[in-house]
């Protein structure tokens, strides 16, 4: 089957965007994997699909598949590209749209400077204390009562690593590092991603605090590997830093692919706002085999 797509990127996190507002394409996980493949397909971190409104004042359904073909709850950089796409394609004349994801409703807004601000909803801190088993990362005995963040260490002689487990609809395990450039992302990212502590797997964030309003972040993403930027990961990391008393209410997040600005007032009921770029790269069409 021949399908049309739009290639987009937000801070270097790149996407294939598909339009199912006129009907379903009938794609399978194998099709999503092929579209994301950087040698045999188009190449992308995630595949984003635009579907019609499910009703209830919602403008669109926003469907997200990781490069491994799995459908997931949230994608922040993708939400900005989604809003840019529906505007540029004339699918909506609104500056602010409400879109339904598996994680709930989020509200991207096109801003006059060309960036997009997204109400990403509330962060949820995982207070459950579930011991890590020995999958390369083992728990460090903690003081009584400390439920969050979880502590773990790579081995007996390593310094304990504090991991904050935060959901932005999708799961994140964020740790503080001295320098993101030397953080063991390739070594421990896959271990954390597939750690039994996270039955749905998890996105592994590595957060370097520069000062109270500037941080650097790398993320080994669930189902995609390290990406140049992770929007929901930036929201989770900043919310964790604010909750730990280390960051102010608005923070610039420098990722390898660009700058995101995250704001959170700090109460569990407050939404996290993310602002950043959303850039179309090219239009294309691809012939997909019926059974890849
Ligand atoms: N890999 C993520 C989905 C994409 C998140 C990221 N690309 C973003 O911008 O939020 C997950 O499995 O939860």
């Amino acid at each position: 089957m021949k399908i049309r797509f739009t290639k987009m990127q937000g801070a270097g996190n790149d996407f294939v965007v598909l339009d199912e507002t006129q009907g379903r394409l009938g794609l399978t996980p194998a099709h999503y994997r092929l579209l994301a493949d950087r040698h045999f397909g188009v190449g992308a971190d995630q595949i984003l699909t635009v579907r019609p409104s499910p009703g209830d004042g919602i403008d669109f359904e926003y469907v997200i598949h990781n490069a491994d073909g799995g459908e997931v709850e949230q994608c922040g950089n993708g939400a900005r590209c989604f809003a840019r796409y529906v505007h540029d394609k004339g699918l909506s004349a609104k500056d602010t749209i409400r879109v339904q994801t598996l994680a709930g409703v989020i509200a991207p807004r096109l801003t006059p400077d060309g960036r997009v601000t997204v109400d990403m909803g509330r962060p949820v801190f995982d207070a459950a204390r579930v011991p890590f088993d020995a999958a390369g990362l083992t728990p460090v005995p903690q003081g009584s009562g400390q439920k969050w963040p979880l502590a773990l260490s790579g081995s007996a002689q390593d310094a304990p690593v504090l991991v904050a487990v935060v959901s932005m609809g999708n799961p994140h395990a964020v740790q503080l590092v001295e320098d993101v450039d030397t953080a063991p992302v390739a070594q421990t990212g896959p271990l954390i991603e597939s750690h039994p502590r996270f039955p749905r797997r998890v996105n592994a964030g590595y957060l370097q605090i520069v000062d109270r309003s500037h941080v650097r972040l790398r993320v080994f993403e669930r189902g995609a590997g390290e990406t140049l930027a992770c929007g929901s990961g930036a929201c989770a990391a900043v919310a964790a830093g604010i909750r730990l008393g280390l960051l102010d209410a608005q923070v610039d997040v420098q990722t390898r692919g660009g700058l995101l600005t995250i704001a959170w007032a700090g109460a569990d009921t407050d939404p996290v706002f993310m602002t950043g770029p959303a850039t179309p790269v090219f239009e294309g069409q691809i012939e997909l085999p019926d059974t890849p």
Side-chain angles (χ1 to χ4, degrees):
M1 75 183 95
K2 183 171 287 188
I3 64 166
R4 305 188 61 77
F5 66 87
T6 299
K7 184 74 193 294
M8 300 188 77
Q9 60 87 10
N13 191 194
D14 68 332
F15 311 105
V16 166
V17 185
L18 304 174
D19 182 349
E20 288 192 351
T21 57
Q22 305 305 314
R24 298 288 180 94
L25 295 170
L27 302 182
T28 65
H31 286 120
Y32 293 118
R33 282 192 294 274
L34 177 56
L35 283 168
D37 191 295
R38 298 188 185 283
H39 301 286
F40 297 100
V42 179
D45 295 323
Q46 280 86 30
I47 313 298
L48 313 180
T49 302
V50 184
R51 289 187 181 154
S53 167
D56 296 334
I58 307 294
D59 295 292
F60 296 96
E61 184 184 0
Y62 167 33
V63 180
I64 305 145
H65 289 85
N66 277 324
D68 69 357
E71 185 175 356
V72 291
E73 310 90 342
Q74 190 57 270
C75 177
N77 289 320
R80 301 196 312 274
C81 290
F82 186 103
R84 167 73 56 219
Y85 177 89
V86 298
H87 179 271
D88 293 354
K89 295 292 184 182
L91 296 173
S92 172
K94 297 180 181 176
D95 283 341
T96 299
I97 58 173
R98 290 168 52 78
V99 297
Q100 179 75 52
T101 71
L102 285 180
V105 177
I106 58 174
R109 173 171 59 86
L110 302 176
T111 63
D113 68 2
R115 295 187 299 169
V116 183
T117 293
V118 189
D119 171 343
M120 291 289 290
R122 301 178 300 117
V124 176
F125 296 91
D126 180 342
R129 179 172 174 185
V130 175
F132 283 79
D133 60 23
L137 294 166
T138 52
V140 170
Q142 295 180 17
S144 64
Q146 183 187 9
K147 288 184 180 303
W148 183 88
L150 299 172
L152 51 91
S153 80
S155 61
Q157 73 274 11
D158 289 355
V161 170
L162 283 184
V163 170
V165 184
V166 188
S167 171
M168 288 303 303
N170 59 345
H172 294 270
V174 184
Q175 60 183 280
L176 296 173
V177 295
E178 284 296 314
D179 180 350
V180 289
D181 293 331
T182 58
V185 177
Q187 294 78 10
T188 61
L191 287 175
I192 295 174
E193 179 202 14
S194 56
H195 196 285
R197 161 67 176 76
F198 305 103
R200 294 181 299 140
R201 298 182 296 158
V202 75
N203 299 283
Y206 298 77
L207 173 65
Q208 175 187 345
I209 293 180
V210 176
D211 61 37
R212 292 189 60 86
S213 57
H214 297 84
V215 301
R216 301 175 71 208
L217 179 71
R218 290 173 68 185
V219 180
F220 188 95
E221 284 198 31
R222 175 181 62 170
E226 182 175 6
T227 58
L228 293 182
C230 180
S232 56
C235 295
V238 168
I242 292 170
R243 180 54 55 94
L244 288 167
L246 303 172
L247 296 175
D248 290 341
Q250 178 164 312
V251 176
D252 282 347
V253 180
Q254 189 61 55
T255 74
R256 291 191 151 183
L259 181 71
L260 301 175
T261 299
I262 308 297
W264 183 50
D268 286 346
T269 52
D270 289 325
V272 180
F273 290 92
M274 168 192 61
T275 299
T279 307
V281 181
F282 64 88
E283 305 281 343
Q285 58 185 8
I286 183 171
E287 183 69 42
L288 290 179
D290 290 340
T291 52

